[in-house]
Structures are given as structure tokens and as C-alpha cells.
Amino acid sequence: MWSIGGKQLKGRLMIGSALYPSPEIMTEAIQSSKSDIVTVSLRRQSPHDKAGQKFWELIQSLSINILPNTAGCKTVKEAIAIAHMARELFKTNWIKLEVIGDDYTLQPNTLLLVEAARELNRQGFEVFPYTTEDLVVADYLVEAGCKTLMPWGSPIGSGKGLLNTFLLKTLRSRFPSVNLILDAGIGTPSHATQALELGFDGVLINTAIAKAHDPIKMAHAFYHAVEAGRLGYEAGLMASRDLATPSTPTLGTPFWHQEK
């Protein structure tokens, strides 16, 4: 069990709800992931039309924590408006805050992100900001009241994995009491394992699962990858060495050797 946003959770894998071939496959993939949290976007699916209403009912039927996001927002005003809509619709003060600054890389506009985060925290939201691995920006977000940070590994949907492990490690060491969720760029289960081995508290996966040949099986693969990464981190990972070290002693006689 671990604590995030005032709730106790079992799993450390968060899963997205976009891009699946069908609502049925989405539902089965989310269940297969054993995730306690699913993210949804109000900008990309209107809850007021017929199809949108069916989608919201399906998401709510999963009986897991819903993390609405402000995907697609480019201004502070827009992001705050979407956050209020989400709080009213889902009866939650959780919001995954996204303020996009570049259409090509979908990199966050960190200046506006901090401004929006400060205002939403002031209004009683539990803000989960999607940010870069920048240490200074992280410091401003924590100062603004964020107890969770969601830095990217690489651009959204790129599948390139963790491009800057040095700065990601630095974030972990500098903010030991802040929940760190690796968000964006994860393409394979091994990327998720790597994030958890760095000490991150969890990962958010969408494209790598939804666009897999078998999203249901891939969701289960990510579940095991996250579990393995966390167990490895807690057990204490072996330090890398420049020279080989034999696992069998070179001095003395192995205990299984018997003289004839």
C-alpha cells in the first residue's frame, strides 16, 4: 500500500483511457492492468453527447479512482475551467494538470503550468502536474502546493523511454517526500521497470498499452513490470562496476568440492 492524493492504493500503475480499438477492449485492458487509477480527458470526449455519456458511465462502472486531466489546454484560464468541470462531473478534487506549450513535442509550458498549479491548489484541488524533468520547475511546483509531480520520460506517445535518467534520479533524491509518477514516453514494460528501479512511485501508461497488438495482454505485462521494478528498488539494486567480480570465490575450495 502507498499513499497518493489522500488515498491508499495497492498498484503503482496508472492507466489512460484513450486510443483503444473499442470500449470493450479498453475496459478489459484497465482490468488486466490491475490499476487503481484511470485518467480521462474532458477535452477529447464530451460527457453531454450520447457517445460521451456512454463513455463516462463505462469509466465509472470500473469502480476505480478517476484522475481527470486537462489534456489539450494551452492557457491557464482554459486549464482551470476544465478542472472545475471535472470536479463537478466526477466529484473529485484530483486533476492531472496539463498546459501544453509546443504542438510538435507536446512539451509542457512550465511557466503557465506553475501559475495554473498555484491557483488550483489555492482552490482546493489535488494537483498532479505533467511537467518536464527540470529541477527548478519541480521546486516551483512543490512550492505552489503540489504533493505529486509527473515528469515526462520523453515526449508523449514517442515510446523513447527515459531519455535523461540523471535528472530523473536527481528529482528523486531532491524530493524524497514527493510522489513522483513517470508520465509520457514509456514504450515498453522494461521502461516502466526502469522508472520504478530509479525510485519513482509509479508510472502512467496509455499509448504503449492502447496501441499494442493485444492491449489486454500488454496491460498485464506492464502490471508485472511495475511490480518487478518496485520490488527491485526496495530490495536494493546491485551497484554497477567497471571490473568483473567472480561470483565463485577464487581463493580456497568451494564447499561442494570433495577430494578423491
Side-chain angles (χ1 to χ4, degrees), residues 168-225:
L168 293 173
K169 285 181 181 179
T170 302
L171 285 179
R172 179 69 291 169
S173 63
R174 289 289 293 272
F175 301 100
S177 61
V178 174
N179 279 315
L180 295 180
I181 309 299
L182 203 290
D183 180 18
I186 290 181
T188 67
S190 60
H191 293 157
T193 300
Q194 184 183 15
L196 272 292
E197 287 177 345
L198 290 179
F200 272 60
D201 298 282
V203 294
L204 172 59
I205 314 290
N206 193 169
T207 307
I209 292 176
K211 289 296 186 179
H213 175 69
D214 187 336
I216 299 167
K217 186 176 290 185
M218 185 60 78
H220 200 53
F222 270 105
Y223 162 74
H224 286 293

Side-chain angles (χ1 to χ4, degrees), residues 137-189:
V137 173
D139 200 37
Y140 275 111
L141 288 168
V142 172
E143 185 273 331
C146 297
K147 303 177 184 66
T148 298
L149 300 178
M150 302 185 75
W152 68 352
S154 52
I156 294 173
S158 68
K160 292 183 177 295
L162 284 61
L163 294 183
N164 198 331
T165 55
F166 173 76
L167 281 183
L168 293 173
K169 285 181 181 179
T170 302
L171 285 179
R172 179 69 291 169
S173 63
R174 289 289 293 272
F175 301 100
S177 61
V178 174
N179 279 315
L180 295 180
I181 309 299
L182 203 290
D183 180 18
I186 290 181
T188 67

